[in-house]
Amino acid sequence: DTFYSMRRHLLDGNSTILDVEVGTLIYGSGKSIHKSFRDFTFCVEPYLNNPQNELLYFGDLDFEGIIIYENLYKDFKDNVNIKPFCVAYEKMLDKANVAQLPYMKKGQSINISNIFLSYFSLSRQEQIKNILFQSRYIPQEILQRKDF
């Protein structure tokens, strides 16, 4: 599991993941993260609730994962500075071979806006769209501990 690999990497004394300084790692559990964020601003430790903090979202690169991020962004952008963990997504894209990627689960909504994609260069946006519109996705597990 990617979260536990990242956690182990940090517990081993590292302070960065993919050369990005990480102070705290939070497990989101897919769509469940949205419910958790409702209480975020008054339930977490003060250091974590600092408005200058930047929270980096990371998950599978599929429609569902993008929609989870975009919904978090829309609902909490006034209270929480949350962005995609672009470096991690770009590493996923670099490791991916489209022909070998798994197919997405049937029935995923494809109604993403441009919020998530806007954080990436035009060439990366095209690469992401190419994968998504072939009904494929990149599981976050493509990144392993050795990648961090």
Side-chain angles (χ1 to χ4, degrees):
D1 182 272
T2 308
F3 170 79
Y4 293 104
S5 295
M6 288 179 171
R7 183 174 182 269
R8 175 60 29 212
H9 177 76
L10 294 173
L11 289 173
D12 284 346
N14 299 290
S15 61
T16 63
I17 296 175
L18 298 168
D19 296 325
V20 175
E21 191 77 27
V22 174
T24 302
L25 193 63
I26 301 169
Y27 183 71
S29 189
K31 293 176 188 173
S32 300
I33 189 67
H34 197 273
K35 181 179 171 188
S36 300
F37 257 66
R38 281 190 220 135
D39 298 328
F40 181 83
T41 56
F42 61 89
C43 287
V44 298
E45 299 297 326
Y47 80 92
L48 193 56
N49 198 25
N50 185 326
Q52 294 181 5
N53 284 342
E54 179 179 78
L55 276 66
L56 299 175
Y57 171 86
F58 180 66
D60 292 341
L61 188 51
D62 62 358
F63 287 115
E64 189 170 285
I66 292 171
I67 289 171
I68 291 169
Y69 168 76
E70 291 184 340
N71 286 337
L72 281 172
Y73 175 84
K74 289 176 198 172
D75 291 346
F76 300 104
K77 68 181 179 214
D78 295 334
N79 300 317
V80 179
N81 181 14
I82 184 168
K83 299 177 180 176
F85 190 5
C86 292
V87 174
Y89 285 110
E90 290 172 356
K91 183 77 168 178
M92 291 169 70
L93 289 163
D94 291 342
K95 289 186 75 173
N97 176 346
V98 177
Q100 296 176 345
L101 291 175
Y103 285 97
M104 283 184 233
K105 293 180 230 168
K106 299 275 187 215
Q108 280 195 29
S109 172
I110 63 169
N111 294 322
I112 60 173
S113 68
N114 198 41
I115 297 169
F116 179 86
L117 292 174
S118 71
Y119 287 92
F120 297 90
S121 69
L122 291 178
S123 63
R124 289 295 194 180
Q125 288 180 36
E126 289 305 313
Q127 190 178 8
I128 292 168
K129 288 178 191 177
N130 181 46
I131 291 167
L132 297 177
F133 288 107
Q134 288 185 45
S135 296
R136 303 223 184 219
Y137 78 103
I138 307 176
Q140 62 183 307
E141 289 80 13
I142 197 170
L143 295 184
Q144 300 169 357
R145 191 167 173 203
K146 64 183 177 183
D147 295 314
F148 305 134

